[in-house]
Amino acid sequence: RQRGRFAGMSLQQLQEKYREVVGRPTGSSNVAYLQWKIREAEAGRINVGPRPEREVKVREDGKRVIPLSFDDEAIKALDKAWRDAGLPSRTRLVTRALYNELTAMCATEAARHFAPNENE
């Protein structure tokens, strides 16, 4: 038997209670986590309300850096591939791949931003 004030609550009811108390929706289906998080919010031990948006950092040249994480072995193989192909950098390979994939997806507006230079 479950005990306590959350005992009779369904997952959906707990998610609704989370939204009410924490002030933002959740995709969690972990009942214990939801109960704990609601208690923490009620006790004032966590921030409530919408998450503040992170500041977007744009370099002086107008570019932004995005983090990509891959296994070390994958990066070694990737680096060998672009070097063997005579490309000047990993970035050039990724840019070409994005252009090709976006073009194949008919996302021409997005692909335009990754179009290869005319001197390639």
Side-chain angles (χ1 to χ4, degrees):
R1 283 180 47 202
Q2 292 182 335
R3 296 177 21 202
R5 65 185 171 126
F6 299 120
M9 296 178 79
S10 68
L11 172 62
Q12 184 178 1
Q13 290 171 321
L14 275 170
Q15 289 172 330
E16 289 171 12
K17 181 71 172 173
Y18 178 100
R19 185 175 20 262
E20 173 190 322
V21 174
V22 179
R24 57 185 172 265
T26 180
S28 177
S29 59
N30 183 319
V31 171
Y33 168 79
L34 293 170
Q35 292 172 348
W36 170 79
K37 197 74 165 186
I38 292 166
R39 286 187 196 102
E40 292 296 296
E42 289 172 339
R45 291 188 288 262
I46 63 165
N47 292 330
V48 296
R51 293 258 185 229
E53 291 195 27
R54 291 184 178 159
E55 178 185 346
V56 175
K57 296 178 182 172
V58 181
R59 298 185 327 200
E60 288 182 18
D61 62 2
K63 295 183 180 182
R64 291 174 45 192
V65 174
I66 60 170
L68 300 172
S69 299
F70 300 98
D71 291 331
D72 183 54
E73 290 301 314
I75 295 297
K76 288 175 184 173
L78 182 72
D79 287 345
K80 181 180 182 329
W82 66 260
R83 287 185 177 109
D84 289 352
L87 294 174
S89 67
R90 186 187 299 151
T91 299
R92 182 67 56 86
L93 173 66
V94 171
T95 302
R96 278 182 158 194
L98 285 168
Y99 175 78
N100 291 334
E101 187 63 23
L102 290 166
T103 300
M105 293 169 36
C106 298
T108 53
E109 182 62 28
R112 180 177 62 81
H113 296 282
F114 300 96
N117 297 332
E118 287 157 20
N119 58 355
E120 282 189 42

